[in-house]
Short mmCIF file of all heavy atoms in Angstrom, two decimals:
data_model
loop_
_atom_site.label_atom_id
_atom_site.label_comp_id
_atom_site.label_asym_id
_atom_site.label_seq_id
_atom_site.Cartn_x
_atom_site.Cartn_y
_atom_site.Cartn_z
N CYS V 211 125.78 50.32 95.05
CA CYS V 211 125.18 49.12 94.59
C CYS V 211 123.65 49.30 94.41
O CYS V 211 123.08 48.75 93.46
CB CYS V 211 125.46 47.92 95.56
SG CYS V 211 127.19 47.43 95.63
N TRP V 212 123.07 50.03 95.30
CA TRP V 212 121.61 50.27 95.21
C TRP V 212 121.28 51.07 93.95
O TRP V 212 120.27 50.78 93.26
CB TRP V 212 121.14 50.97 96.45
CG TRP V 212 119.68 51.28 96.45
CD1 TRP V 212 119.00 52.41 96.07
CD2 TRP V 212 118.60 50.35 96.84
NE1 TRP V 212 117.67 52.28 96.23
CE2 TRP V 212 117.38 51.04 96.67
CE3 TRP V 212 118.58 49.03 97.27
CZ2 TRP V 212 116.17 50.40 96.96
CZ3 TRP V 212 117.38 48.44 97.53
CH2 TRP V 212 116.19 49.10 97.42
N GLN V 213 122.11 52.02 93.65
CA GLN V 213 121.89 52.82 92.40
C GLN V 213 122.06 51.99 91.15
O GLN V 213 121.33 52.08 90.19
CB GLN V 213 122.81 54.03 92.44
CG GLN V 213 122.52 55.10 93.43
CD GLN V 213 123.57 56.21 93.43
OE1 GLN V 213 124.64 56.11 92.78
NE2 GLN V 213 123.26 57.30 94.15
N VAL V 214 123.08 51.12 91.15
CA VAL V 214 123.28 50.23 90.01
C VAL V 214 122.04 49.27 89.84
O VAL V 214 121.57 49.03 88.72
CB VAL V 214 124.53 49.42 90.19
CG1 VAL V 214 124.68 48.36 89.07
CG2 VAL V 214 125.77 50.41 90.10
N MET V 215 121.55 48.77 90.98
CA MET V 215 120.40 47.87 90.91
C MET V 215 119.18 48.59 90.44
O MET V 215 118.40 48.06 89.54
CB MET V 215 120.18 47.23 92.30
CG MET V 215 119.06 46.20 92.26
SD MET V 215 118.68 45.58 93.96
CE MET V 215 117.92 47.00 94.66
N ASN V 216 118.94 49.80 90.90
CA ASN V 216 117.76 50.58 90.47
C ASN V 216 117.79 50.92 88.98
O ASN V 216 116.79 50.97 88.34
CB ASN V 216 117.63 51.87 91.31
CG ASN V 216 117.09 51.55 92.67
OD1 ASN V 216 116.43 50.52 92.92
ND2 ASN V 216 117.37 52.43 93.60
N ALA V 217 119.05 51.10 88.49
CA ALA V 217 119.13 51.51 87.08
C ALA V 217 118.69 50.42 86.09
O ALA V 217 118.18 50.69 84.99
CB ALA V 217 120.59 51.94 86.78
N GLY V 218 118.89 49.13 86.55
CA GLY V 218 118.47 48.02 85.63
C GLY V 218 117.26 47.25 86.11
O GLY V 218 117.03 46.19 85.63
N THR V 219 116.49 47.81 87.02
CA THR V 219 115.36 47.12 87.57
C THR V 219 114.09 47.86 87.21
O THR V 219 113.96 49.04 87.34
CB THR V 219 115.42 46.99 89.10
OG1 THR V 219 116.61 46.30 89.44
CG2 THR V 219 114.26 46.23 89.68
N MET V 220 113.09 47.10 86.70
CA MET V 220 111.74 47.62 86.41
C MET V 220 110.85 47.27 87.55
O MET V 220 110.39 46.10 87.66
CB MET V 220 111.20 47.12 85.00
CG MET V 220 112.09 47.44 83.88
SD MET V 220 111.46 46.84 82.24
CE MET V 220 110.00 47.90 82.16
N TRP V 221 110.59 48.20 88.38
CA TRP V 221 109.87 47.94 89.66
C TRP V 221 108.37 47.56 89.41
O TRP V 221 107.72 47.00 90.26
CB TRP V 221 109.94 49.14 90.57
CG TRP V 221 111.37 49.30 91.08
CD1 TRP V 221 112.25 50.23 90.71
CD2 TRP V 221 112.03 48.50 92.09
NE1 TRP V 221 113.46 50.07 91.30
CE2 TRP V 221 113.38 49.04 92.21
CE3 TRP V 221 111.66 47.41 92.85
CZ2 TRP V 221 114.26 48.48 93.11
CZ3 TRP V 221 112.56 46.86 93.74
CH2 TRP V 221 113.85 47.43 93.89
N VAL V 222 107.93 47.86 88.19
CA VAL V 222 106.51 47.42 87.88
C VAL V 222 106.43 45.96 87.87
O VAL V 222 105.48 45.33 88.34
CB VAL V 222 106.12 48.02 86.53
CG1 VAL V 222 104.71 47.53 86.05
CG2 VAL V 222 106.13 49.53 86.56
N PHE V 223 107.47 45.31 87.28
CA PHE V 223 107.47 43.79 87.28
C PHE V 223 107.74 43.28 88.66
O PHE V 223 107.16 42.20 88.96
CB PHE V 223 108.54 43.33 86.24
CG PHE V 223 108.25 43.58 84.83
CD1 PHE V 223 108.78 44.66 84.19
CD2 PHE V 223 107.33 42.80 84.15
CE1 PHE V 223 108.50 44.99 82.92
CE2 PHE V 223 107.05 43.06 82.82
CZ PHE V 223 107.65 44.17 82.21
N VAL V 224 108.54 43.98 89.45
CA VAL V 224 108.78 43.45 90.80
C VAL V 224 107.54 43.49 91.63
O VAL V 224 107.21 42.59 92.42
CB VAL V 224 109.87 44.30 91.43
CG1 VAL V 224 110.06 43.91 92.92
CG2 VAL V 224 111.19 44.17 90.72
N ALA V 225 106.68 44.59 91.42
CA ALA V 225 105.41 44.64 92.18
C ALA V 225 104.44 43.60 91.73
O ALA V 225 103.61 43.14 92.56
CB ALA V 225 104.83 46.06 91.98
N ASP V 226 104.54 43.17 90.53
CA ASP V 226 103.63 42.12 90.04
C ASP V 226 104.17 40.70 90.26
O ASP V 226 103.44 39.74 89.95
CB ASP V 226 103.45 42.36 88.51
CG ASP V 226 102.34 41.48 87.89
OD1 ASP V 226 101.22 41.46 88.51
OD2 ASP V 226 102.56 40.79 86.90
N ALA V 227 105.40 40.59 90.83
CA ALA V 227 105.98 39.29 90.98
C ALA V 227 105.21 38.32 91.93
O ALA V 227 105.10 37.14 91.57
CB ALA V 227 107.39 39.42 91.51
N PRO V 228 104.66 38.81 93.07
CA PRO V 228 103.83 37.90 93.89
C PRO V 228 102.66 37.20 93.18
O PRO V 228 102.46 36.00 93.32
CB PRO V 228 103.40 38.76 95.05
CG PRO V 228 104.48 39.86 95.12
CD PRO V 228 104.80 40.14 93.71
N SER V 229 101.96 38.05 92.34
CA SER V 229 100.81 37.44 91.71
C SER V 229 101.27 36.45 90.60
O SER V 229 100.65 35.41 90.35
CB SER V 229 99.98 38.54 91.04
OG SER V 229 100.71 39.34 90.15
N GLN V 230 102.37 36.77 89.88
CA GLN V 230 102.93 35.85 88.88
C GLN V 230 103.36 34.53 89.56
O GLN V 230 103.20 33.48 88.99
CB GLN V 230 104.05 36.55 88.16
CG GLN V 230 103.71 37.70 87.28
CD GLN V 230 102.77 37.32 86.15
OE1 GLN V 230 102.84 36.21 85.65
NE2 GLN V 230 101.93 38.24 85.73
N ALA V 231 104.07 34.67 90.70
CA ALA V 231 104.54 33.48 91.35
C ALA V 231 103.37 32.61 91.78
O ALA V 231 103.40 31.38 91.74
CB ALA V 231 105.39 33.86 92.57
N ALA V 232 102.31 33.24 92.30
CA ALA V 232 101.08 32.50 92.75
C ALA V 232 100.46 31.82 91.50
O ALA V 232 99.95 30.66 91.63
CB ALA V 232 100.11 33.41 93.48
N ASP V 233 100.43 32.52 90.34
CA ASP V 233 99.84 31.91 89.18
C ASP V 233 100.63 30.71 88.71
O ASP V 233 100.01 29.65 88.44
CB ASP V 233 99.78 32.98 88.06
CG ASP V 233 99.18 32.43 86.83
OD1 ASP V 233 98.00 32.00 86.86
OD2 ASP V 233 99.85 32.50 85.76
N ILE V 234 101.94 30.80 88.66
CA ILE V 234 102.81 29.65 88.27
C ILE V 234 102.63 28.49 89.26
O ILE V 234 102.55 27.37 88.85
CB ILE V 234 104.22 30.12 88.07
CG1 ILE V 234 104.38 31.07 86.85
CG2 ILE V 234 105.13 28.87 87.84
CD1 ILE V 234 105.74 31.60 86.69
N GLY V 235 102.63 28.87 90.52
CA GLY V 235 102.53 27.79 91.56
C GLY V 235 101.21 27.07 91.44
O GLY V 235 101.16 25.85 91.63
N SER V 236 100.11 27.80 91.10
CA SER V 236 98.82 27.11 90.99
C SER V 236 98.80 26.18 89.76
O SER V 236 98.11 25.15 89.75
CB SER V 236 97.76 28.18 90.84
OG SER V 236 97.89 28.93 89.66
N ARG V 237 99.58 26.52 88.70
CA ARG V 237 99.67 25.65 87.50
C ARG V 237 100.53 24.41 87.73
O ARG V 237 100.45 23.45 86.97
CB ARG V 237 100.23 26.51 86.32
CG ARG V 237 99.35 27.64 85.92
CD ARG V 237 99.95 28.29 84.73
NE ARG V 237 99.21 29.56 84.34
CZ ARG V 237 99.43 30.22 83.26
NH1 ARG V 237 100.44 29.95 82.45
NH2 ARG V 237 98.71 31.34 82.98
N MET V 238 101.44 24.50 88.74
CA MET V 238 102.29 23.34 89.06
C MET V 238 101.56 22.23 89.68
O MET V 238 101.98 21.06 89.65
CB MET V 238 103.46 23.78 89.88
CG MET V 238 104.49 24.52 89.17
SD MET V 238 105.95 24.88 90.26
CE MET V 238 107.10 25.62 89.09
N PHE V 239 100.45 22.48 90.33
CA PHE V 239 99.78 21.48 91.13
C PHE V 239 98.43 21.16 90.48
O PHE V 239 97.70 22.07 90.05
CB PHE V 239 99.62 21.93 92.60
CG PHE V 239 100.93 22.04 93.29
CD1 PHE V 239 101.65 23.21 93.39
CD2 PHE V 239 101.50 20.91 93.90
CE1 PHE V 239 102.83 23.34 94.04
CE2 PHE V 239 102.69 20.99 94.54
CZ PHE V 239 103.34 22.26 94.59
N PRO V 240 98.08 19.81 90.50
CA PRO V 240 98.92 18.75 90.99
C PRO V 240 100.05 18.37 90.01
O PRO V 240 99.86 18.51 88.83
CB PRO V 240 97.87 17.61 91.07
CG PRO V 240 96.91 17.91 90.04
CD PRO V 240 96.80 19.39 89.94
N PRO V 241 101.20 17.86 90.53
CA PRO V 241 102.27 17.43 89.61
C PRO V 241 101.83 16.32 88.74
O PRO V 241 100.99 15.47 89.06
CB PRO V 241 103.44 17.01 90.58
CG PRO V 241 103.03 17.61 91.90
CD PRO V 241 101.52 17.70 91.92
N ARG V 242 102.41 16.29 87.61
CA ARG V 242 102.06 15.20 86.59
C ARG V 242 102.95 14.02 86.86
O ARG V 242 104.06 13.80 86.37
CB ARG V 242 102.30 15.74 85.19
CG ARG V 242 101.87 14.73 84.06
CD ARG V 242 102.27 15.23 82.67
NE ARG V 242 102.14 14.19 81.69
CZ ARG V 242 102.53 14.35 80.49
NH1 ARG V 242 103.15 15.43 80.07
NH2 ARG V 242 102.42 13.34 79.65
N LEU V 243 102.45 13.10 87.72
CA LEU V 243 103.27 11.92 88.08
C LEU V 243 103.41 10.97 86.97
O LEU V 243 104.33 10.12 86.99
CB LEU V 243 102.57 11.29 89.31
CG LEU V 243 102.44 12.13 90.58
CD1 LEU V 243 101.76 11.31 91.70
CD2 LEU V 243 103.80 12.67 90.99
N GLY V 244 102.50 10.99 85.98
CA GLY V 244 102.71 10.09 84.83
C GLY V 244 103.90 10.43 83.99
O GLY V 244 104.28 9.61 83.14
N TYR V 245 104.58 11.58 84.31
CA TYR V 245 105.72 11.95 83.58
C TYR V 245 107.04 11.31 84.16
O TYR V 245 108.10 11.44 83.60
CB TYR V 245 105.84 13.47 83.61
CG TYR V 245 106.92 14.11 82.74
CD1 TYR V 245 106.86 13.89 81.40
CD2 TYR V 245 107.95 14.86 83.30
CE1 TYR V 245 107.86 14.48 80.58
CE2 TYR V 245 108.91 15.43 82.52
CZ TYR V 245 108.85 15.25 81.14
OH TYR V 245 109.82 15.80 80.33
N LEU V 246 106.89 10.63 85.29
CA LEU V 246 108.01 10.05 85.96
C LEU V 246 108.82 9.06 85.16
O LEU V 246 110.08 9.06 85.16
CB LEU V 246 107.58 9.42 87.30
CG LEU V 246 107.34 10.33 88.50
CD1 LEU V 246 106.79 9.52 89.68
CD2 LEU V 246 108.63 11.01 88.91
N PRO V 247 108.13 8.15 84.41
CA PRO V 247 108.97 7.17 83.60
C PRO V 247 109.90 7.89 82.64
O PRO V 247 110.97 7.34 82.32
CB PRO V 247 107.93 6.34 82.91
CG PRO V 247 106.71 6.42 83.83
CD PRO V 247 106.78 7.76 84.39
N GLU V 248 109.53 9.01 82.13
CA GLU V 248 110.44 9.75 81.16
C GLU V 248 111.60 10.39 81.82
O GLU V 248 112.53 10.76 81.18
CB GLU V 248 109.59 10.80 80.41
CG GLU V 248 108.45 10.18 79.59
CD GLU V 248 107.79 11.25 78.73
OE1 GLU V 248 108.52 12.26 78.32
OE2 GLU V 248 106.56 11.26 78.51
N LEU V 249 111.54 10.41 83.12
CA LEU V 249 112.69 11.08 83.91
C LEU V 249 113.74 10.12 84.37
O LEU V 249 114.82 10.52 84.84
CB LEU V 249 112.11 11.87 85.07
CG LEU V 249 111.16 12.97 84.78
CD1 LEU V 249 110.69 13.65 86.05
CD2 LEU V 249 111.76 14.01 83.92
#
């Protein structure tokens, strides 16, 4: 299973995942509460 996972995984993107998650998380806040009526 590890070999199959490594064959289809680009570890460059995995290494960059924490910074990407932090960037998206910073863009989520503050939430747009004015969007609530549309939901």
Side-chain angles (χ1 to χ4, degrees):
C211 293
W212 181 263
Q213 291 177 348
V214 172
M215 184 184 70
N216 283 339
T219 301
M220 299 182 67
W221 292 103
V222 175
F223 291 99
V224 175
D226 190 50
S229 60
Q230 293 294 332
D233 179 58
I234 292 176
S236 64
R237 297 183 185 185
M238 284 185 174
F239 292 95
R242 184 186 168 189
L243 299 181
Y245 189 60
L246 281 174
E248 298 186 32
L249 299 178

